[in-house]
Amino acid sequence: MKKIKIVFLIGMVLLVMSYTFLKVNAEADKVIVATSGTSDIFSQIMPDSGEWTGIDGEIWQAIEEKTGWEVEVKQVEFDGLIGELETGRSDIISNHMEVTDERLEIAKASQAYSSEETVWVVLEDNKETITGVEELKNKKVGVKSGQAVQPKVVELSKEYGFEVQTYQDNASMYNDLANGRVDAVAGMLSQMESNSKKLNVKFINTGESLLSGNVAFFLQNNEEGETLKEELDAVIQELLEDGTIKEITEKWTGQDLTAGIK
């Protein structure tokens, strides 16, 4: 009787272990990726179909094909993305975000998959009157809320005396610039030309770089995040080496954004 009980108990333990193993593996194969979904170049979730397009959207299609992961896309306002990792509601955030010291205090950054430069963007009509930050005194300047360059723009506003207007998405910001509601914006160089074409307005940059650096995905700052980062980094490296990401960035911006990775 005791032998039967022992065998039964061993069987139950093995069953529980097998169930746990399968459950963990099933969960590991599903990755929740948060994005704002409001940028037609980097990350846009189409309102009708729910399709995720843009640079990040296409890169994640390639990642899904390489890994076999089930990628669940979650739309979150841009300035709430980091909070998704802190609370564990999402595994990864993907929104063409620069790697900064402030972000690395909260989250882990993946292998860089792109690069970016943020500049002052103005209307071509104002190129003679606004040539740099010195000419922004008493003017209104736009910046996307939560963007890596935002703290620097706020700091410069105190030094040079301009007003800061924040936006939840790039489309609204560039639309206000086109219509003269702001005098300049802190915009990514890769986005300037596409917004110029979309709005049929000529934008230029002053030639003054505000921020430049690597762009990466961000993961939870814990052991699970580190494990996922190792797997993700290997796939990103493959996609860089075979030219997949280069082709995607050229398609959306006309530039090879992988060339500037440091």
Side-chain angles (χ1 to χ4, degrees), residues 3-4 6 19 41 54 62-64 69 79-81 85 101 106 117 140 166 187-188 195 247:
K3 288 182 179 179
I4 293 172
I6 291 169
Y19 172 77
I41 297 177
I63 291 172
E64 198 170 17
W69 292 342
D79 56 5
L81 287 173
L85 299 179
D101 291 339
I106 302 169
E117 183 173 13
K140 187 178 284 188
T166 58
M188 293 179 176
N195 279 282
E247 290 177 11

Side-chain angles (χ1 to χ4, degrees), residues 89-109:
R89 293 192 296 264
S90 297
D91 302 305
I92 300 170
I93 55 176
S94 171
N95 219 89
H96 199 81
M97 294 168 65
E98 299 99 327
V99 179
T100 65
D101 291 339
E102 292 78 12
R103 286 172 177 163
L104 291 177
E105 288 176 3
I106 302 169
K108 293 182 182 295

